[in-house]
Amino acid sequence: MQRIDAHQHFWDPAGYTYPWMAGDAMDPVRRAFGPDDLLPSLRAAGIDATILVQTLSSPAETREFLKLAADTDAVRGVVGWVDLTSPSVGDDLDELLDGPSGRRLVGVRHQVHDEPDPDWLRRDDVRRGLSAVQRRGLTYDLLIRAREIPAATDAVRRFPELRYVLDHIAKPRIAAGRDDPWMRGMPALAAEPNVSVKLSGMVTEADWASWTPGDLRPFVGRVVEWFTPRRLLFGSDWPVCLLAGSYEDMLAGLTAALPAMSPNELEQVFGGNAERIYRI
């Protein structure tokens, strides 16, 4: 079975403006990152393939990612972006899927946690868009924090045939050592069988300079308990993770934070679940 990193990014600040990249703290990653930067880390870590995830609300970026995936053996699929609120969302998805690299499109994502409205996922136009994603057999990646968990849970229940993947375990406040709203909200979301979760993005929610596996362990343990190994996917969130350590540091930290699992369960977390859920 292949080992799959279900969440990584490429970007180029010379070609696009990334609003989330503002501030001096982001200087270490404010440069172009592409396959040549990633592949050595994948080889060193024994990772065979990846899912490339959108970074912008940009159809152009999605088209570029699809072409890049078609030209890069290690990139097995793309989670792209379309405007879910657009009346033409179905046509927009069909245009991507029918394109020369359309078979690489495995899902859709939007930066929901950046929306001013915590109930954005409850909007009628957004739900029309989610319905279009469901009809095309794609996944929907949930990029949320604790604030948006109630609306996300409603959206998951509204479309029980849509496969949802929760990114970055919903970004709990790991650096603070606890996140009570996250603790209250997550069990209801995890109870829905069509939701899986990426064990990703955690080192950058911890203290970048001093985090240890022990900081991650209470949050990882809860997620494993709530979702069970069958609905867990490993994701690096590279190159964002470089703010807090190397690819190898991130992977070692996650591995040390996991509770005891059987070899088969570990194979599913580090590859099998991504193959099944993203249908790659």
Side-chain angles (χ1 to χ4, degrees), residues 16 30 33 38 66 89 91 93 100 106 120 133 146 167 169 173 192 195 207 211 220 224 229 232 236 239 251-252 275:
Y16 292 97
R30 194 177 288 110
F33 287 90
L38 175 63
L66 289 171
V89 60
D91 293 337
L93 285 168
V106 298
W120 188 83
V133 174
D167 290 348
I169 70 170
R173 298 171 63 243
E192 300 305 317
V195 185
D207 185 296
W211 70 272
V220 172
V224 174
L232 305 178
S236 67
L251 181 55
E275 288 186 332

Side-chain angles (χ1 to χ4, degrees), residues 24-264:
D24 294 344
M26 302 299 292
D27 284 349
V29 297
R30 194 177 288 110
R31 67 169 180 85
F33 287 90
D36 290 343
D37 301 288
L38 175 63
L39 292 177
S41 291
L42 295 184
R43 287 193 291 268
I47 303 297
D48 301 298
T50 72
I51 301 292
L52 174 58
V53 180
Q54 62 87 225
T55 67
L56 290 170
S57 299
S58 167
E61 181 195 63
T62 298
R63 289 191 292 270
E64 290 176 12
F65 279 2
L66 289 171
K67 183 179 186 305
L68 190 154
D71 295 336
T72 307
D73 289 342
V75 179
R76 294 279 299 279
V78 172
V79 174
W81 183 88
V82 295
D83 183 358
L84 290 180
T85 69
S86 171
S88 66
V89 60
D91 293 337
D92 297 338
L93 285 168
D94 289 340
E95 181 180 356
L96 291 171
L97 289 165
D98 293 340
S101 307
R103 65 186 181 86
R104 297 285 184 153
L105 186 68
V106 298
V108 172
R109 186 177 85 149
H110 179 73
Q111 279 89 336
V112 175
H113 62 33
D114 290 337
E115 291 289 340
D117 181 6
D119 288 327
W120 188 83
L121 285 163
R122 289 187 170 114
R123 285 172 40 170
D124 289 342
D125 52 358
V126 173
R127 288 183 168 179
R128 183 185 62 233
L130 291 174
S131 177
V133 174
Q134 176 179 261
R135 289 196 301 274
R136 285 153 181 85
L138 300 169
T139 66
Y140 184 75
D141 270 34
L142 288 163
L143 182 55
I144 60 173
R145 293 186 184 271
R147 183 192 72 149
E148 296 85 30
I149 289 176
T153 304
D154 284 352
V156 166
R157 291 169 176 165
R158 179 64 66 94
F159 299 102
E161 296 179 9
L162 178 56
R163 301 184 313 282
Y164 289 86
V165 181
L166 178 63
D167 290 348
H168 312 328
I169 70 170
K171 294 193 169 188
R173 298 171 63 243
I174 295 174
R178 62 184 293 167
D179 190 331
D180 292 340
W182 180 85
M183 283 287 295
R184 290 193 298 269
M186 282 286 283
L189 184 58
E192 300 305 317
N194 55 325
V195 185
S196 300
V197 62
K198 289 180 185 175
L199 298 171
S200 62
M202 292 178 288
V203 296
T204 46
E205 295 302 320
D207 185 296
W208 296 358
S210 64
W211 70 272
T212 70
D215 299 321
L216 311 182
R217 194 168 291 121
F219 298 90
V220 172
R222 286 291 191 176
V223 168
V224 174
E225 175 187 343
W226 291 329
F227 284 87
T228 78
R230 181 168 171 75
R231 291 189 286 145
L232 305 178
L233 298 79
F234 158 65
S236 67
D237 198 26
W238 181 95
V240 181
C241 70
L242 299 179
L243 294 166
S246 68
Y247 194 106
E248 292 77 8
D249 292 337
M250 170 279 306
L251 181 55
L254 170 60
T255 302
L258 285 171
M261 291 187 184
S262 70
N264 178 259

